[in-house]
Amino acid sequence: MNDDTPSDPTSEDGEPVSFTKAAKNLIKKHKPTILTVGALGLAAVFVAVRHTMEQSTARDAEDFGSVAGPGAVHEPHQPSVRHSVVGHKRTLADGRVISVSGYERGVAAA
């Protein structure tokens, strides 16, 4: 390496300039360009996220029929028709197995 060519940039008085000073000078010199590129990049990310969300909503609408909006009317739960439940065995959370007798369930049809 030549001693005539310093590895770091030099200031006007011939002293080496630190990396931070060089970066600050570069930013100061190209500030409008940096801001423009940053704003365009941010706008591109915003558009991509919005497009992805719209696709997701459309895909969900296809999967589930229509998308319920905030003012959607929900029908009340319809009670089940009266029917008999046959006796069966049920396993409890602690592992015990119990017998359940048959019973009637639901409401009488009107």
Side-chain angles (χ1 to χ4, degrees):
M1 185 152 95
N2 256 343
D3 289 337
D4 297 341
T5 312
S7 59
D8 293 332
T10 56
S11 64
E12 293 174 6
D13 60 356
E15 292 294 317
V17 178
S18 71
F19 176 76
T20 17
K21 282 189 178 182
K24 285 180 182 179
N25 289 339
L26 184 69
I27 290 172
K28 190 183 298 182
K29 184 177 179 181
H30 298 287
K31 189 173 184 176
T33 305
I34 293 170
L35 290 176
T36 302
V37 169
L40 289 174
L42 188 61
V45 168
F46 176 76
V47 169
V49 168
R50 187 170 178 178
H51 179 68
T52 303
M53 289 175 61
E54 288 173 356
Q55 280 185 332
S56 176
T57 303
R59 193 175 313 119
D60 289 346
E62 289 175 5
D63 292 345
F64 301 111
S66 66
V67 176
V73 178
H74 297 285
E75 294 183 19
H77 174 72
Q78 298 295 323
S80 61
V81 177
R82 189 148 190 85
H83 63 281
S84 295
V85 177
V86 296
H88 58 279
K89 302 272 187 198
R90 174 170 288 160
T91 304
L92 301 177
D94 62 3
R96 292 180 294 152
V97 177
I98 61 170
S99 294
V100 178
S101 303
Y103 58 94
E104 293 287 319
R105 163 178 192 168
V107 292

